Amino acid sequence: MTSKGLADAFRAHTLNLHHKIVDFNALNSIPESHAWKPQGFDHYPTRGGDPEAVPIIDLTEENAPELIGHACKKWGVFQVINHNISKSLLDDVEMEGKRLFSLPMDQKLKAARLPNGVSGYGVVRISRFFPKCMWSEGFTIADSMVEHASQLWPNNYQKFCDTIEECKKEMNNLAHRLMWLMLGSLGITQKDIEWAGPNGKVEGGDDALQMNSYPACPDPDRVMGLAAHTDSTILSIIHQSNTSGLQLIREGGSVWITVPPHPGALVIHVGDLMHILSNGLYPSVLHRAIVNRTQHRLSVAYFFGPPVSVKVSPIKKLVDECHPQLYRPITWSEYLGIKSELFDKGLPSLRLCSSQSRFTDVNGDDY
Ligand SMILES: C=C1C[C@]23C[C@@]1(O)CC[C@H]2[C@@]12CCC[C@@](C)(C(=O)O1)[C@H]2[C@@H]3C(=O)O
Ligand SMILES: O=C(O)CCC(=O)C(=O)O
Ligand SMILES: [Fe+2]
């Protein structure tokens, strides 16, 4: 992993954020800057076993590959259990996140993300596309975190760095495993992807870890934790604390579905680059985070992508006369730049065929 690549990718995309981070602890009402139109956060109620609940897949089950392929096509998201990342590591990451966000504001601002940077403390990059601020604060780790961590805790940053490093390593292993399971379901092997090295390892692949903190809010219906978006990744792995808040819209659907925290489960999002690789077969999932009236919520998202400078394009095996190539080749670096300018119009802007056209895959399903 070289995540310096991600830092380079953003250098030319300075963000002029009118969205300032506020000290949520110091607020006793919702400031105008954070007051969204009442959202009516009613959502489809989901229970375990409900066919409309995001699938939970046990990675030790024999049929996990088929279940993953199905979930990617029909949902663009699934949860995994028995994924081999230990509970104690996830608990430690959560604890380090809480330690970070509970620091005084002036301390956190010492590690503020630069306008053209990727790592550090601040509001999410997509904030500039919304007239109102989000009810959250974030910390992004793409390159070395020692510099930022030592600004936060001058004498006590080692535990934070070790925990995050270990988490990135474990998540990177899991992301590789999941990427090949997802692609394997489409009949794609390591030979079909030029930028995959021997043993399927994406040498020089880039990644980032994002901690999101959503303070409790007395009127959660009037604020937005993290506005609706898709991730610009191959796939993302989300660990959420035991307070619910992650919601998504199923492909072709119109209702927001809550992903209830499931003990030990990690949520896996199909990202925009996987959508491109799969030539549109796997939708990248539209998701958002809402906030809780009484409980603070924390999530940790791992963003997995290819080396930022390799061209990603629909895999040749998935393109033929009946299934024309839907997207032009693009590097992750270029794509992050396009997303920074066009946000949700970024992916459609790469489309080679009209989005109206519908195709049928080998199983007779439309996509
Ligand atoms: C790899 C990345 C994905 C991300 C941009 C980033 O370089 C690091 C932060 C990521 C994040 C987290 C919150 C939502 C999001 C849309 C954003 O603004 O920053 C994602 C970015 C993304 O997926 O495009
Ligand atoms: O907080 C969450 O559950 C979602 C976080 C997320 O979507 C992101 O960081 O991109
Ligand atoms: Fe996301």
Side-chain angles (χ1 to χ4, degrees):
M1 279 169 270
T2 70
S3 298
K4 206 181 148 316
L6 277 176
D8 290 344
F10 284 122
R11 198 147 292 137
H13 296 277
T14 300
L15 284 185
N16 185 6
L17 284 177
H18 56 286
H19 292 259
K20 295 269 183 297
I21 199 102
V22 295
D23 189 351
F24 291 99
N25 290 326
L27 297 178
N28 41 28
S29 62
I30 299 172
E32 210 29 57
S33 54
H34 287 67
W36 294 54
K37 282 199 208 95
Q39 300 290 310
F41 281 135
D42 50 331
H43 55 265
Y44 197 94
T46 53
R47 284 173 295 279
D50 186 330
E52 287 303 314
V54 174
I56 298 179
I57 299 173
D58 181 341
L59 287 184
T60 58
E61 290 286 338
E62 221 173 288
N63 61 348
E66 294 83 68
L67 296 177
I68 287 177
H70 186 261
C72 286
K73 271 192 194 149
K74 299 294 177 196
W75 285 87
V77 63
F78 53 97
Q79 305 205 63
V80 289
I81 52 172
N82 288 324
H83 41 66
N84 263 348
I85 300 188
S86 74
K87 178 174 174 340
S88 73
L89 177 59
L90 295 172
D91 287 348
D92 282 356
V93 177
E94 208 177 302
M95 217 162 63
E96 290 302 314
K98 286 187 180 145
R99 187 158 80 97
L100 189 163
F101 291 113
S102 60
L103 286 170
M105 183 53 94
D106 55 350
Q107 194 64 19
K108 289 187 276 195
L109 287 175
K110 289 187 182 152
R113 193 187 307 125
L114 295 173
N116 66 348
V118 60
S119 295
Y121 173 75
V123 297
V124 287
R125 288 188 71 84
I126 56 169
S127 298
R128 65 181 277 247
F129 296 102
F130 299 90
K132 297 289 181 175
C133 301
M134 300 181 205
W135 198 264
S136 59
E137 44 186 337
F139 189 79
T140 317
I141 302 146
D143 33 26
S144 161
M145 78 209 90
V146 174
E147 194 191 323
H148 281 132
S150 60
Q151 284 151 339
L152 294 169
W153 302 283
N155 305 312
N156 182 17
Y157 57 86
Q158 202 54 47
K159 173 80 172 40
F160 179 85
C161 295
D162 292 347
T163 307
I164 300 298
E165 205 54 62
E166 177 69 8
C167 179
K168 274 180 98 180
K169 193 180 96 207
E170 293 291 321
M171 295 247 179
N172 184 266
N173 288 337
L174 178 61
H176 274 91
R177 190 171 159 208
L178 290 168
M179 177 178 84
W180 291 118
L181 283 165
M182 288 153 112
L183 292 173
S185 297
L186 298 174
I188 305 304
T189 66
Q190 291 158 19
K191 287 199 253 28
D192 299 309
I193 301 213
E194 311 83 59
W195 39 269
N199 312 322
K201 178 97 177 90
V202 182
E203 298 298 344
D206 279 290
D207 60 1
L209 199 86
Q210 163 94 9
M211 291 178 161
N212 299 299
S213 165
Y214 306 94
C217 174
D219 193 355
D221 203 42
R222 288 183 59 223
V223 301
M224 178 64 79
L226 179 50
H229 65 280
T230 57
D231 295 339
S232 320
T233 53
I234 289 181
L235 63 92
S236 317
I237 303 176
I238 321 294
H239 164 70
Q240 47 176 346
S241 62
N242 62 7
T243 302
S244 74
L246 177 61
Q247 296 191 323
L248 52 91
I249 292 193
R250 192 181 173 162
E251 172 64 357
S254 56
V255 282
W256 286 99
I257 296 175
T258 297
V259 188
H262 180 94
L266 293 168
V267 184
I268 313 301
H269 293 165
V270 170
D272 295 339
L273 294 187
M274 176 61 90
H275 177 75
I276 294 175
L277 282 169
S278 69
N279 201 27
L281 275 171
Y282 289 167
S284 48
V285 65
L286 184 69
H287 57 282
R288 69 182 183 188
I290 62 171
V291 309
N292 191 278
R293 189 179 297 278
T294 54
Q295 278 170 300
H296 171 254
R297 174 170 184 269
L298 188 110
S299 72
V300 179
Y302 175 77
F303 300 103
F304 179 70
V308 289
S309 308
V310 305
K311 289 269 188 206
V312 170
S313 53
I315 295 164
K316 289 198 182 70
K317 259 191 188 166
L318 303 174
V319 175
D320 60 30
E321 244 172 66
C322 305
H323 305 99
Q325 181 173 337
L326 294 186
Y327 294 94
R328 72 170 173 86
I330 187 148
T331 65
W332 197 17
S333 176
E334 281 174 84
Y335 186 59
L336 287 167
I338 289 178
K339 266 263 224 21
S340 293
E341 302 299 327
L342 301 178
F343 186 42
D344 57 338
K345 313 281 180 310
L347 189 58
S349 77
L350 307 180
R351 212 116 176 160
L352 296 172
C353 308
S354 140
S355 48
Q356 249 77 65
S357 53
R358 306 287 297 172
F359 302 104
T360 304
D361 69 14
V362 284
N363 302 315
D365 292 330
D366 276 339
Y367 69 96

